[in-house]
Amino acid sequence: MKRVLFLLFTWSLAALFAVAIWRDTDREWTRTQRRFFKTLAKGERRGLSPGIKQLIISDLDRVDRCTTCHLAVDKPQLALAEEPFTAHPGQILQSHPPEKFGCTVCHGGQGLATEAEAAHGDVKHWEEPLLRGPLVQASCARCHGDVQAIAAHAPLAIEGEALFRAKGCYGCHAVRDFGQTVSQDLTAIGSKSYLLMEADFEMMDPPHDRIQWLTSKLRHPRRLNPGVRPEHLPPGEEEVFPSAMPRFGLADDEVRALAVYLLSLTEFNPPVSYTTPAAPPAPAPVYSSAEARGQAVFERFGCAGCHGSGGLGGRHNWNGGLGQEIPSLLHVKAYYGQDIESLKELIRRGRQPVPRADPARPRTLLYMPAWADRIAEEDLDALVAYLLSLSDRLPQAASE
Ligand code: HEC
Ligand code: HEC
Ligand code: HEC
Ligand code: HEC
Ligand code: HEC
């Protein structure tokens, strides 16, 4: 009896062992490699061996196994048209050789994984999604202190930053010590953990990752607010809450550029040998008039985020007086033309809270922030000149 049991035991061990070996030769990456090696002539195989490939980048604390499947990224002579066997596009691997840079520092994803889904970050617990196609431009600013210097290679990153300014995002959000504190600081939004804050992804289509979150937020600013679910809201208020962020009506390519810019804002801090010098200080601009200077101040500080481009208005402020809108600035001259000092004082100190349309309902979420510690007095004079000039643009504005 004992002997039979012993035999059964050894047989099952042997069987388990065989299954393990078979499993190991039938992994996704082994199949991928077999597919690739079949396309090669005998001579071409020289120097190439099967097995897991890894790029160990100790300076960046990474081990990237992407080249286990992406076998020809740095061997254009062997490349095929089909992924993962293409040659790397462009010349970028020449200035960023794989032995020194790896792949994930630019593309995100999960370096150690050997299955495509996991490697591409398409798994629940991994927060770094793969940056495909032009989205990879989000990573350039992590090392390039002056993205303008590589502008030709990162046009979306440049466009996104310009849009962030032009749309007035700085009127509510700060990035690296510049901007208002009406809403959250976006300095590290590109590496924020949505897992930790248990963000509500129910209101958006999959994939439930950071790229999709930021893109959806830009498309539907008012609908998405991390951490707040519609069923937690008072009846009838789902439309206005959870978010006070205005709708900007962004076009798809603007959403993409802004997403690239937001994704580029991370806490990643590479060693100096991986960085390039910061931008030289910009020369002080010369303005043709006080109004022109004031317009630049208006644009730089993001007044448009709340008052609309050119102060035209149209931004919703739930339960605010004046038709639940933030006032347009076209009538500043009529209201304050006789009392410039009180206009300046309003801008310096801001105004909060804003009178409510319905006193029984909660206070408005948006208010006029204070600018005294941000806008220098000479700039304030120019800003006021610009605001007073806005009424002259009225007929033009109306016909637009
Ligand atoms: C197990 C094999 C495997 C591994 C490991 C792997 N990939 Fe891929 N990769 C693929 C396959 C297959 C495709 C094509 C299908 C797809 O787009 O998902 C692909 C596609 C891609 C694409 C996009 C191509 C396109 O046109 O959209 C990028 C970029 C990429 N991989 C980068 C990486 C990076 C970076 C890593 C390492 C973190 C990695 N891959 C690891 C198999 C792999
Ligand atoms: C310095 C940044 C950088 C590094 C490092 C880098 N790439 Fe790329 N990669 C790019 C850029 C830029 C593109 C072109 C994107 C586009 O289509 O505009 C690209 C494109 C690709 C593509 C084509 C599909 C796509 O998404 O456009 C694949 C596949 C790819 N890279 C894989 C890799 C692998 C594997 C490694 C590691 C050996 C790697 N890359 C390292 C910047 C980088
Ligand atoms: C991990 C840091 C890092 C990342 C990420 C990175 N670079 Fe670089 N890049 C460098 C360094 C360092 C050099 C300088 C290499 C040298 O000359 O020794 C360089 C050089 C270059 C060069 C050539 C030299 C020049 O200034 O003309 C270009 C172009 C370039 N990078 C573009 C990009 C683009 C586009 C991206 C994003 C897709 C990117 N880089 C992402 C670190 C990085
Ligand atoms: C009038 C004020 C206001 C302006 C202007 C504004 N936002 Fe917001 N934004 C908010 C508020 C309030 C929140 C926080 C509540 C929420 O998430 O909806 C927010 C949240 C966000 C988030 C989500 C952060 C996260 O945790 O995921 C992003 C991203 C964002 N804003 C980007 C932008 C961009 C880009 C612009 C310019 C196009 C912009 N915002 C302009 C008020 C504003
Ligand atoms: C976060 C949103 C926000 C930003 C950014 C903002 N404002 Fe305001 N502003 C308001 C609100 C709300 C009011 C209405 C206050 C009230 O009703 O008491 C207001 C009122 C004003 C008024 C008075 C208008 C009137 O009809 O009485 C002026 C002038 C003004 N803002 C100028 C500016 C300037 C200049 C900037 C940029 C430096 C700016 N605001 C940035 C929200 C904002």
Side-chain angles (χ1 to χ4, degrees), residues 55 64-67 69-71 73-74 83-90 92-93 95-99 101-107 130-137 139-140 144 153:
L55 299 161
D64 289 353
R65 295 175 165 173
C66 316
T67 47
C69 297
H70 290 271
L71 286 152
V73 267
D74 54 350
E83 290 297 359
F85 307 130
T86 59
H88 201 276
I92 199 137
L93 293 194
S95 40
H96 311 79
E99 322 77 75
F101 287 84
C103 312
T104 54
V105 73
C106 283
H107 283 285
L130 187 69
L131 298 171
R132 291 172 187 262
L135 286 185
V136 73
Q137 290 171 29
S139 52
C140 316
H144 287 274
H153 304 271

Side-chain angles (χ1 to χ4, degrees), residues 4-242:
V4 177
L5 273 180
F6 181 72
L7 270 178
L8 271 175
F9 180 67
T10 39
W11 281 339
S12 50
L13 261 189
L16 273 176
F17 195 57
V19 167
I21 289 180
W22 173 79
R23 278 247 194 111
D24 215 47
T25 53
D26 197 44
R27 306 257 172 187
E28 185 181 353
W29 66 268
T30 52
R31 273 178 273 136
T32 307
Q33 290 194 343
R34 277 202 295 274
R35 248 185 329 125
F36 182 69
F37 285 118
K38 260 192 223 151
T39 69
L40 301 179
K42 272 243 165 64
E44 290 176 331
R45 249 177 258 184
R46 224 175 301 128
L48 281 173
S49 54
I52 290 181
K53 315 271 173 225
Q54 24 186 40
L55 299 161
I56 301 170
I57 322 291
S58 35
D59 282 347
L60 296 176
D61 214 5
R62 279 157 207 260
V63 177
D64 289 353
R65 295 175 165 173
C66 316
T67 47
T68 303
C69 297
H70 290 271
L71 286 152
V73 267
D74 54 350
K75 299 179 187 65
Q77 70 283 7
L78 304 182
L80 307 176
E82 160 211 6
E83 290 297 359
F85 307 130
T86 59
H88 201 276
Q91 311 292 311
I92 199 137
L93 293 194
Q94 275 148 33
S95 40
H96 311 79
E99 322 77 75
K100 183 181 171 195
F101 287 84
C103 312
T104 54
V105 73
C106 283
H107 283 285
Q110 184 174 189
L112 272 175
T114 52
E115 276 163 40
E117 264 196 347
H120 296 163
D122 246 344
V123 278
K124 266 232 157 84
H125 60 278
W126 195 258
E127 296 225 52
E128 293 304 323
L130 187 69
L131 298 171
R132 291 172 187 262
L135 286 185
V136 73
Q137 290 171 29
S139 52
C140 316
R142 295 172 190 175
C143 303
H144 287 274
D146 181 7
V147 186
Q148 289 294 346
I150 52 158
H153 304 271
L156 275 183
I158 304 277
E159 190 195 333
E161 185 171 14
L163 276 169
F164 194 86
R165 200 170 292 278
K167 298 290 173 187
C169 312
Y170 283 119
C172 291
H173 295 287
V175 174
R176 290 188 214 100
D177 300 330
F178 187 84
Q180 269 293 358
T181 50
V182 174
S183 180
Q184 66 204 89
D185 187 307
L186 298 180
T187 304
I189 188 71
S191 51
K192 173 171 175 171
S193 170
Y194 290 102
L195 280 181
L196 277 182
M197 60 181 304
E198 297 176 36
D200 177 15
F201 286 105
E202 276 164 33
M203 285 187 280
M204 60 184 237
D205 298 330
H208 290 167
D209 64 22
R210 179 183 295 135
I211 299 173
Q212 181 77 339
W213 173 270
L214 293 175
T215 324
S216 311
K217 175 74 183 167
L218 294 169
R219 287 211 176 95
H220 311 288
R222 303 252 296 280
R223 197 155 86 199
L224 283 162
N225 182 343
V228 180
R229 289 164 195 267
E231 64 267 27
H232 295 164
L233 301 168
E237 286 168 16
E238 301 88 345
E239 159 57 11
V240 283
F241 280 105

